[in-house]
Amino acid sequence: MNICVYGASSEQIDRDFIATCEHFGSVLTKSGYGIIFGAGKYGLMGAVARGATKAGSTSLIGVVPEFFKSRDVLYDKCTDLVFTKTMRERKKYMEDNSIAFVMLPGSIGTFDEFFEILTLKQLGQHNKPIVVYNINNYFDPLLNMIKACIDKKFLTDDCYNLFSVCDTATAVVNAIENDTSVLYDKYDTLDKEE
């Protein structure tokens, strides 16, 4: 059972985020989960991978587009390295081979991955758990933006129920294991209102 982890690749990140994500990788492994991630050795991706490796992970799957082969950015202790032709194929592989998705602090790429998997859940294409790991309140502005979308009726209240927000590694695991998501379809809901 693999959990997909999205997160930053930057090396400029405060060390507290790095340490927290190394611990998270360890907690996932000790909880019996494999990890699917973007294969990077830097930033929070690398931190999760190092934590998982130190905890003895036997399933650490890195998924990366082929154009990264020529760069020295890949984590060298992945138990499996999957190369895709495009970023889109990378996300599809992660989606198909994970039982849940966790967004760690990150930027454009991380937001893209999160919003795509959230959109697919909103459209009834999966009902897997999605967790925002809100380390040091990093995602407060993003969560406030989603709340503003709901307040202005660009989103329904139901959207906030499609993911969990946690601030510890243990809470993330508990949210995944106790998820009660049901298959949701935005348009099915709209049809019933008419």
Side-chain angles (χ1 to χ4, degrees):
M1 295 189 307
N2 295 310
I3 293 174
C4 179
V5 177
Y6 307 129
S9 61
S10 171
E11 279 293 283
Q12 307 305 312
I13 297 168
D14 185 287
R15 300 312 295 175
D16 186 50
F17 287 100
I18 299 290
T20 299
C21 288
E22 281 191 14
H23 173 70
F24 179 57
S26 173
V27 167
L28 287 180
T29 297
K30 290 176 180 176
S31 298
Y33 295 105
I35 297 168
I36 293 183
F37 75 118
K41 67 180 178 180
Y42 297 119
L44 302 188
M45 275 193 285
V48 169
R50 288 190 302 275
T53 298
K54 288 175 187 173
S57 178
T58 57
S59 182
L60 181 60
I61 303 169
V63 187
V64 62
E66 291 175 350
F67 59 79
F68 279 104
K69 279 184 179 178
S70 62
R71 301 177 183 181
D72 184 29
V73 297
L74 303 181
Y75 185 67
D76 64 357
K77 292 183 176 64
C78 292
T79 59
D80 194 10
L81 199 53
V82 176
F83 287 98
T84 62
K85 290 183 179 177
T86 67
M87 294 290 279
R88 289 183 186 93
E89 288 178 12
R90 175 201 219 182
K91 289 187 287 186
K92 179 67 172 151
Y93 184 94
M94 292 171 148
E95 174 193 339
D96 291 344
N97 292 282
S98 302
I99 63 161
F101 308 90
V102 178
M103 179 171 64
L104 304 176
S107 63
I108 295 169
T110 304
F111 300 152
D112 171 60
E113 291 163 329
F114 168 72
F115 280 114
E116 180 166 330
I117 207 66
L118 181 61
T119 299
L120 290 171
K121 188 168 184 176
Q122 184 186 40
L123 295 174
Q125 299 303 296
H126 74 87
N127 66 341
K128 299 174 184 180
I130 301 172
V131 181
V132 174
Y133 189 177
N134 195 19
I135 301 168
N136 297 341
N137 301 311
Y138 178 82
F139 287 116
D140 285 0
L142 180 66
L143 297 170
N144 287 336
M145 184 191 78
I146 293 172
K147 176 84 166 57
C149 290
I150 292 170
D151 291 345
K152 296 183 186 305
K153 308 301 181 194
F154 284 89
L155 287 171
T156 65
D157 290 340
D158 293 333
C159 185
Y160 228 90
N161 298 324
L162 299 179
F163 62 93
S164 301
V165 180
C166 300
D167 60 6
T168 68
T170 301
V172 171
V173 172
N174 287 340
I176 291 168
E177 293 179 346
N178 297 304
D179 183 76
T180 57
S181 292
V182 295
L183 196 59
Y184 176 84
D185 186 334
K186 169 186 174 178
Y187 292 105
D188 183 52
T189 303
L190 290 174
D191 291 341
K192 289 176 182 174
E193 290 175 357
E194 293 176 354

